[in-house]
């Protein structure tokens, strides 16, 4: 389970000239899933609170977002690694605890939109989701389904154009794309405003567009483990 994680550790130790500058689309940003499978004697609340404390104290690793799935033992992090060889702070902790971990390189959806020829600044999407307690994460995978490159790109452009209208109307969301060619995978974190979210989900789940998985999440810094 740590093959990918330690592969990234090795990658992070390469010289900066090899890894690229921070503005590159592959400038060491990662989505990290941490699963806490049921285990006899495990105190899930204590484990999640320990993860919360550990990630908040990382040096040269910027925690862009940290969430827990509501109702499940899954912690979701989006990290930016600002300094090479800073991974051991996190990887040694996770290896010692024996959690199931999956790490995926990501970059900003706004950068991807510009690659498609759209005029979208990086600050178009939200970068903090401050003051929002009720949140959703939507993961979208765009199957190729026999489309030509032009048809595939046009489908993605159409999705971004519809999403631009929804966000301009006041819906707030953060968005990242996984660093892979095809199929394209993107994830949105968005505030739970019922009417506006319905419009966003309708766009994200439009026929012939892509597969959509939506879960409820909460910010990790709000997690106390107490019943509400």
């Amino acid at each position: 389970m740590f093959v990918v994680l330690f592969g990234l550790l090795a990658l992070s130790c390469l010289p900066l000239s090899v890894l690229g500058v921070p503005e590159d689309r592959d400038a060491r940003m990662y989505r990290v899933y941490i699963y806490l499978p049921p285990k006899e004697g495990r105190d899930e609340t204590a484990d999640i609170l320990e993860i919360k404390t550990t990630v908040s104290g990382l040096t040269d690793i910027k925690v862009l977002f940290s969430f827990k799935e509501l109702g499940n033992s899954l912690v979701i992090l989006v990290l930016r690694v600002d300094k090479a060889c800073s991974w051991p702070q996190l990887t040694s902790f996770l290896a010692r605890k024996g959690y199931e971990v999956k790490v995926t390189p990501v970059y900003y959806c706004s950068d991807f939109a510009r690659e498609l020829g759209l005029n979208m600044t990086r600050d178009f999407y939200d970068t903090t989701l401050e003051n929002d307690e009720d949140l959703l994460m939507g993961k979208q995978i765009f199957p190729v389904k026999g489309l030509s490159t032009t048809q595939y790109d046009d489908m993605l452009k159409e999705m971004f154009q519809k999403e631009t209208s929804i966000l301009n109307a006041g819906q707030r969301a953060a968005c990242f794309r996984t660093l892979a060619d095809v199929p394209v995978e993107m994830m949105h974190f968005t505030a739970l405003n019922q009417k506006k979210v319905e419009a966003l989900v309708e766009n994200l789940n439009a026929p012939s567009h892509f597969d959509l998985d939506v879960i409820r999440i909460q910010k990790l810094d709000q997690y106390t483990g107490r019943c509400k």
Side-chain angles (χ1 to χ4, degrees):
M1 64 182 172
F2 278 93
V3 172
V4 175
L5 192 60
F6 287 113
L8 290 171
L9 172 58
L11 176 64
S12 69
C13 292
L14 292 173
L16 292 177
S17 58
V18 174
L19 290 168
V21 296
E23 293 303 313
D24 288 346
R25 76 174 190 172
D26 54 345
R28 302 188 302 281
M29 286 204 308
Y30 304 100
R31 178 185 68 197
V32 181
Y33 286 163
I34 305 172
Y35 300 91
L36 283 70
K39 182 178 178 181
E40 184 177 356
R42 166 165 284 163
D43 185 337
E44 177 185 298
T45 296
D47 282 5
I48 293 175
L49 291 174
E50 186 176 11
I51 292 172
K52 171 182 169 181
T53 301
T54 300
V55 299
S56 66
L58 296 174
T59 302
D60 297 317
I61 297 179
K62 173 69 174 178
V63 182
L64 303 180
F65 291 101
S66 60
F67 303 106
K68 179 192 177 292
E69 181 180 1
L70 292 179
N72 284 305
S73 302
L74 170 64
V75 173
I76 304 163
L77 309 175
V78 180
L79 307 176
R80 187 187 73 227
V81 181
D82 291 332
K83 187 175 180 181
C85 294
S86 53
W87 270 112
Q89 300 167 87
L90 184 59
T91 56
S92 60
F93 165 74
L94 296 174
R96 186 173 68 253
K97 301 296 289 188
Y99 300 137
E100 295 180 9
V101 180
K102 181 179 180 181
V103 180
T104 306
V106 298
Y107 68 108
Y108 291 108
C109 288
S110 50
D111 291 350
F112 177 46
R114 287 198 298 274
E115 292 175 7
L116 294 170
L118 301 176
N119 183 21
M120 183 181 290
T121 60
R122 181 169 289 178
D123 60 4
F124 179 76
Y125 287 100
D126 204 294
T127 57
T128 63
L129 294 175
E130 288 181 344
N131 304 319
D132 289 308
E133 295 188 8
D134 295 321
L135 299 167
L136 296 175
M137 184 183 86
K139 185 176 72 172
Q140 307 85 43
I141 297 178
F142 295 74
V144 178
K145 293 182 178 178
L147 298 175
S148 68
T149 300
T150 299
Q151 291 171 325
Y152 196 66
D153 288 351
D154 286 345
M155 177 183 66
L156 293 165
K157 289 177 184 178
E158 180 184 1
M159 186 280 299
F160 273 122
Q161 289 163 349
K162 290 181 179 179
E163 189 164 301
T164 296
S165 298
I166 296 168
L167 297 183
N168 281 338
Q171 178 63 28
R172 298 169 57 223
C175 182
F176 298 88
R177 188 204 150 166
T178 61
L179 189 60
D181 291 331
V182 290
V184 167
E185 178 186 331
M186 296 195 299
M187 62 176 179
H188 287 74
F189 304 120
T190 185
L192 182 56
N193 177 309
Q194 192 64 40
K195 184 176 180 180
K196 294 174 181 176
V197 163
E198 286 175 359
L200 183 60
V201 170
E202 183 180 357
N203 177 45
L204 297 181
N205 204 28
S208 302
H209 275 201
F210 43 84
D211 302 324
L212 176 66
D213 181 34
V214 178
I215 62 173
R216 287 285 304 275
I217 57 175
Q218 69 178 135
K219 289 186 175 181
L220 198 60
D221 58 12
Q222 297 168 336
Y223 180 78
T224 63
R226 293 193 295 268
C227 294
K228 295 184 179 179

